Amino acid sequence: MEGGPTPAAASAAASSPDDFALGKCIETVDQLITVLGFDADLANIAVGAVGPDLSQAYNWILDRGHEDRGGPVVPRLDCPHIARHMLVDPDSLRIDRPCGYHADLKADTKPAALSAAGLKSETGDDGTGSCPAGENWICLHCGETRCSRYVNGHALAHWARTKAEAAIEKDRVVQQGSSGEGLRSDDDDDDDDTAGHCIAVSLADLSIWCYECNVYLKHPSLEVITKRLEKLKFPQDTEGQEEQVSKKPVHDGVDLAGTGQEEEKARDSNSDSEGETSREASDISRRISPSALAYLRGMTHGAPSVDLPFTLPKNLDEIAKFILSDQCKSIAILAGAGMSKSSGIPDFRSSGGMYDTLRPELLTASEEERYLMSIDPTTVFEKDMFLQNPLPCLELKRPFILGTVEKRWRATIAHRFVELLHKKTGKLSRLYTQNIDGLESQCRYLPSEKVVGVHGSMHKASCEICGAEADFEQFCEDVRMNIKDISRQDPSAPPQSRVIPCKTCARAAVKPTVVLFRSSLPEEFFVRAVADMPNVDLLIVIGTSLMVAPANTLVYRVPPTCLRMIVNNEPVGMRLGINYGEHATRDFFANGNCDDVFLDLICHLDWLPDLAKFADDLPASSASLLRDRLVCMGLDDDEEQCDGEEKMKDGNSIVAS
């Protein structure tokens, strides 16, 4: 590959006989070059210096003064410093404070201590007495606000100073102990005593960083911090979300990917332009999956600053009119698990979904692995976890693997809407589906080239290490015979799981061809998105929490003149710039289950007779819903009326934002 890894990448791992280690070095160099845009020689030097860990190589490059181009996301789930150094009261947090370094400098009484620790005393900002406007961080130990390294680096200096002070204090205690002046406990030997004020939260994107661990953090105990700051930064959006949540039943969807309901995996855009916007955007982009950065450079998100060619629709009838109008020429769709929920496939991220009900103690895993899964259920599907222990992933996916080969599930009304949209209007640019179930393949009027499987598919199997394709039916039989059923519903399943070796390389790494977390996405996604998104007039987001990059970045990949329709049980995507408040200008929220909403929309489009032809091919719940509507609309022999007709006509089930 032109500009790809040079022989230096191989030499970085030459001392290791492990081909996998060599492959990791080459992969990291390739990502530094092709995804993050660094020079090939610099990438090779970085990997040669620190090894194949992408985060360490990236930070090594930044520490030497090279331009920040986004950076990878490898959050730590078990930071040992949280308990001791996240001491600030969340209610005391404020987002309007400037960097407090210069005010505190006047009261500095410890320059000698810093000098003794090998640190220089901090200096002012060119005599101005304050730091320029820019991204600030709040120390979660003491609550002080300091500027980022893109301004004057006072947040980093605050940690260095407190760390030096902690080291000096520990030395003093040690000296007292050795001279008999005091007794030391075992806890005094803990490295955490010298960590300083090491945990801070960014006010730009609400990410939380541990300086001591040199990594972003993800942990349930951090939710209270991010939620408090979300409320301060987005008062209208969060109030609207709280109102929606308070009105719905307890069992309605609550996204649980990553650290919590509006977790970790939220990603934002990157900008390479100079100035304040570029500093904030480049730091925000560190929350984006590295794969997304290759096609996100130069993109921003938020409220459009242009005149819109439409008035925001108030209900589904107006959405239908927009779809059929000459104003709407190109429609893209981003689909998530909610699109397939009525088929019987569980929704991973919603309340009651797989992540919510995951019981790590049932999986074949070590205690440490189970602990990580309990903190973040998505760990089960991370690449590193799979390569370390493939059994939890296969155990959790067993019913899906066997259900796929048995064709247990059917395309839903939401799938049929996409099919009809293409067949009747020709305006479908692309369906980008995050689902791996392949149900859209049952829609015979939807060409395969109109579908991009962002996260792969369950219909094939291959080795994650050597890439060799496996016979899918044989793989399914191997799963049936070797992987235990954690639901205990299959009496023929083995009591204990056994690994399934690859027939080519003999490694235990065979799985369905789905994309694991921390893996590269199919090249098709990036190629299609670059070509499709700039021309989209309507983006329909179906049943997704918008928490996983790079798929979630499509919501701001579209032009600012694009109407966005969000179909979900609750508001999502506020961090990505979607506005559900009273000032919304291009975001329409259709609140409800996907099949209910799209059945209403199909009626407004006068496509109900077309949908009726698929009645026998729908899942039972979808078919029942359709037949009830046919009765209500007088398109069935049964003349019985129902309340749903009026609900569809007046759009009462829809919330327009």
Side-chain angles (χ1 to χ4, degrees):
M1 179 180 65
E2 184 179 357
T6 66
S11 66
S15 60
S16 171
D18 189 352
D19 289 340
F20 178 67
L22 174 60
K24 287 293 289 183
C25 286
I26 295 175
E27 179 184 359
T28 299
V29 170
D30 184 62
Q31 286 181 300
L32 290 170
I33 297 170
T34 63
V35 174
L36 298 176
F38 291 115
D39 177 76
D41 290 338
L42 179 62
N44 278 278
I45 293 172
V47 173
V50 301
D53 184 274
L54 184 58
S55 286
Q56 292 183 17
Y58 181 81
N59 288 327
W60 186 91
I61 291 174
L62 292 188
D63 289 343
R64 278 144 187 84
H66 296 278
E67 180 185 359
D68 185 351
R69 297 176 180 266
V73 176
V74 188
R76 182 167 182 176
L77 308 177
D78 59 345
C79 172
H81 308 108
I82 292 176
R84 293 194 182 198
H85 296 285
M86 197 187 79
L87 304 180
V88 69
D89 179 3
D91 291 335
S92 69
L93 295 175
R94 289 176 53 185
I95 62 174
D96 56 350
R97 292 188 178 117
C99 173
Y101 164 72
H102 295 285
D104 291 347
L105 185 65
K106 299 176 181 178
D108 185 11
T109 58
K110 301 182 180 179
L114 290 172
S115 178
L119 296 175
K120 295 180 180 179
S121 183
E122 299 172 344
T123 59
D125 180 36
D126 300 328
T128 63
S130 63
C131 291
E135 184 209 351
N136 286 330
W137 291 70
I138 297 177
C139 172
L140 295 182
H141 186 114
C142 65
E144 290 294 327
T145 300
R146 293 290 187 272
C147 62
S148 76
R149 66 182 177 187
Y150 306 111
V151 184
N152 284 321
H154 291 143
L156 178 64
H158 178 71
W159 167 63
R161 171 177 176 163
T162 56
K163 182 176 174 65
E165 292 173 350
I168 293 171
E169 176 62 19
K170 187 169 184 177
D171 287 342
R172 184 187 66 78
V173 173
V174 170
Q175 292 173 3
Q176 287 180 346
S178 62
S179 62
E181 296 179 16
L183 297 177
R184 300 175 62 234
S185 68
D186 293 339
D187 290 340
D188 290 330
D189 291 324
D190 194 333
D191 289 340
D192 192 52
D193 285 350
T194 60
H197 296 192
C198 58
I199 299 179
V201 59
S202 166
L203 292 181
D205 65 349
L206 309 188
S207 59
I208 297 179
W209 177 267
C210 177
Y211 289 101
E212 189 72 7
C213 296
N214 197 34
V215 72
Y216 284 98
L217 303 184
K218 186 165 56 175
H219 193 277
S221 64
L222 303 176
E223 291 179 29
V224 64
I225 298 294
T226 56
K227 286 192 175 297
R228 167 62 178 166
L229 292 175
E230 278 179 353
K231 188 173 182 179
L232 294 174
K233 287 193 70 173
F234 314 110
Q236 290 181 334
D237 289 346
T238 53
E239 287 171 9
Q241 182 181 15
E242 289 170 2
E243 180 180 356
Q244 289 291 333
V245 172
S246 65
K247 289 182 178 179
K248 59 186 176 60
V250 175
H251 65 269
D252 272 357
V254 178
D255 295 329
L256 288 173
T259 62
Q261 283 77 0
E262 289 291 341
E263 76 220 10
E264 75 176 322
K265 296 187 185 266
R267 278 82 166 167
D268 294 298
S269 65
N270 180 47
S271 171
D272 284 338
S273 60
E274 295 182 358
E276 179 53 35
T277 300
S278 68
R279 281 196 291 264
E280 291 191 4
S282 61
D283 191 74
I284 288 172
S285 66
R286 270 186 266 127
R287 305 185 67 189
I288 303 174
S289 169
S291 305
L293 295 177
Y295 84 108
L296 287 178
R297 289 196 171 93
M299 300 304 300
T300 58
H301 68 276
S305 57
V306 299
D307 293 333
L308 296 173
F310 55 81
T311 300
L312 181 66
K314 297 180 176 63
N315 50 49
L316 283 182
D317 185 57
E318 293 185 10
I319 286 286
K321 291 177 180 177
F322 180 77
I323 289 175
L324 299 175
S325 72
D326 292 337
Q327 283 182 296
C328 182
K329 296 181 174 62
S330 176
I331 302 173
I333 296 175
L334 172 61
M339 186 180 195
S340 299
K341 190 172 183 180
S342 64
S343 70
I345 299 177
D347 184 339
F348 275 45
R349 299 182 187 278
S350 292
S351 179
M354 181 174 292
Y355 291 149
D356 191 20
T357 59
L358 177 67
R359 296 178 58 190
E361 70 274 11
L362 298 179
L363 301 175
T364 305
S366 67
E367 288 302 317
E368 180 181 3
E369 290 168 345
R370 288 172 178 165
Y371 172 72
L372 293 176
M373 296 173 201
S374 68
I375 294 176
D376 181 2
T378 65
T379 303
V380 178
F381 299 129
E382 288 193 355
K383 182 174 181 177
D384 288 346
M385 175 65 77
F386 180 81
L387 294 176
Q388 175 179 304
N389 178 7
L391 295 180
C393 175
L394 295 178
E395 288 168 352
L396 209 54
K397 284 189 177 295
R398 186 181 193 273
F400 301 101
I401 294 170
L402 301 184
T404 298
V405 75
E406 296 166 0
K407 296 180 171 57
R408 191 178 302 167
W409 301 292
R410 297 182 179 184
T412 67
I413 291 175
H415 289 96
R416 298 301 179 180
F417 164 78
V418 179
E419 181 178 17
L420 291 174
L421 179 68
H422 172 68
K423 181 183 178 183
K424 297 188 73 65
T425 71
K427 295 182 179 183
L428 178 66
S429 172
R430 207 80 55 193
L431 165 63
Y432 292 87
T433 177
Q434 300 172 84
N435 300 330
I436 58 177
D437 50 49
L439 294 181
E440 62 279 347
S441 65
Q442 298 178 15
C443 300
R444 60 183 179 274
Y445 298 111
L446 183 62
S448 59
E449 62 267 20
K450 288 291 182 179
V451 180
V452 173
V454 181
H455 297 152
S457 172
M458 290 285 292
H459 290 80
K460 295 180 180 180
S462 64
C463 177
E464 183 70 13
I465 293 178
C466 74
E469 187 170 341
D471 180 270
F472 184 67
E473 291 190 0
Q474 181 58 52
F475 168 71
C476 292
E477 186 60 24
D478 290 340
V479 169
R480 188 189 308 277
M481 301 302 296
N482 293 282
I483 303 300
K484 71 179 182 181
D485 176 20
I486 59 174
S487 67
R488 300 178 182 176
Q489 296 179 356
D490 183 357
S492 66
Q496 301 295 330
S497 294
R498 299 180 294 270
V499 297
I500 302 175
C502 172
K503 290 179 171 54
T504 300
C505 69
R507 306 272 185 102
V510 183
K511 65 168 185 60
T513 55
V514 297
V515 178
L516 298 172
F517 288 121
R518 317 297 177 203
S519 297
S520 299
L521 267 66
E523 183 69 17
E524 182 186 21
F525 171 79
F526 301 104
V527 174
R528 296 288 196 187
V530 168
D532 293 341
M533 292 300 109
N535 303 311
V536 171
D537 300 305
L538 171 62
L539 174 67
I540 304 177
V541 179
I542 306 176
T544 171
S545 62
L546 288 178
M547 303 307 284
V548 179
N552 64 352
T553 61
L554 294 184
V555 301
Y556 54 86
R557 182 76 187 180
V558 295
T561 55
C562 174
L563 174 63
R564 301 185 294 197
M565 174 182 176
I566 315 300
V567 182
N568 208 56
N569 274 327
E570 63 180 354
V572 294
M574 285 80 76
R575 287 184 178 179
L576 302 176
I578 295 178
N579 188 349
Y580 296 97
E582 60 182 7
H583 301 296
T585 56
R586 64 164 178 158
D587 295 319
F588 176 86
F589 179 41
N591 184 15
N593 294 320
C594 295
D595 271 9
D596 291 329
V597 171
F598 284 107
L599 180 55
D600 283 352
L601 182 55
I602 286 170
C603 289
H604 285 294
L605 289 163
D606 293 327
W607 295 349
L608 191 59
D610 301 276
L611 179 64
K613 298 174 183 178
F614 300 119
D616 294 336
D617 298 322
L618 293 170
S621 62
S622 299
S624 176
L625 189 66
L626 172 59
R627 291 191 176 100
D628 288 345
R629 183 57 59 85
L630 290 172
V631 171
C632 294
M633 301 296 292
L635 299 177
D636 190 273
D637 294 337
D638 189 344
E639 296 297 329
E640 179 184 356
Q641 296 298 307
C642 68
D643 294 337
E645 180 181 5
E646 290 306 315
K647 184 180 85 168
M648 184 280 299
K649 285 184 177 180
D650 62 22
N652 287 339
S653 63
I654 303 305
V655 177
S657 300

